């Protein structure tokens, strides 16, 4: 059981590092920061809006654009994962 748990932790860490490096490839700094806050640190929309100095609806708009850019940039890595 311990070995299985350790393997899952290692897999999680590897996946998180892959995501971190793929987010870093985005050319738009606001999009990178937003995705890092949301998916790597687990911040809420309200926390992100406050941190970045935007209204929540603007954060959600930037998020949509960031996901589109991410999907375009990394479509090869998302096949079968994101629709």
């Amino acid at each position: 059981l311990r070995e299985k748990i350790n393997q899952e932790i290692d897999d999680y860490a590897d996946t998180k590092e892959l995501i971190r490096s793929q987010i870093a490839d985005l050319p738009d700094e606001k999009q990178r920061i937003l995705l890092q806050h949301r998916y790597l640190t687990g911040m809420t929309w309200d926390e992100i809006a406050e941190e970045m100095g935007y209204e929540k609806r603007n954060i959600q708009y930037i998020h949509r654009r960031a996901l589109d850019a991410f999907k375009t940039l990394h479509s090869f890595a998302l096949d079968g994962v994101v629709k």
Side-chain angles (χ1 to χ4, degrees):
L1 180 60
R2 178 175 288 158
E3 187 175 313
K4 182 179 179 186
I5 291 171
N6 286 337
Q7 182 60 49
E8 287 182 17
I9 290 170
D10 290 345
D11 291 347
Y12 172 78
D14 291 345
T15 300
K16 191 170 183 177
E17 184 53 40
L18 175 63
I19 292 168
R20 182 186 320 277
S21 70
Q22 290 178 337
I23 288 173
D25 290 341
L26 290 173
D28 186 283
E29 183 179 18
K30 284 185 289 193
Q31 292 176 356
R32 284 194 311 270
I33 291 169
L34 189 150
L35 293 182
Q36 289 166 352
H37 285 331
R38 184 67 179 169
Y39 297 108
L40 299 175
T41 62
M43 293 173 71
T44 67
W45 296 121
D46 291 328
E47 291 169 335
I48 296 168
E50 184 175 331
E51 175 76 21
M52 293 182 71
Y54 291 96
E55 291 186 22
K56 186 177 174 180
R57 70 176 182 268
N58 296 96
I59 288 299
Q60 291 169 332
Y61 173 77
I62 295 168
H63 180 255
R64 280 193 305 274
R65 305 272 302 181
L67 287 183
D68 288 344
F70 187 92
K71 288 176 190 177
T72 299
L73 201 58
H74 297 291
S75 61
F76 67 91
L78 297 174
D79 288 344
V81 177
V82 176
K83 303 293 181 207

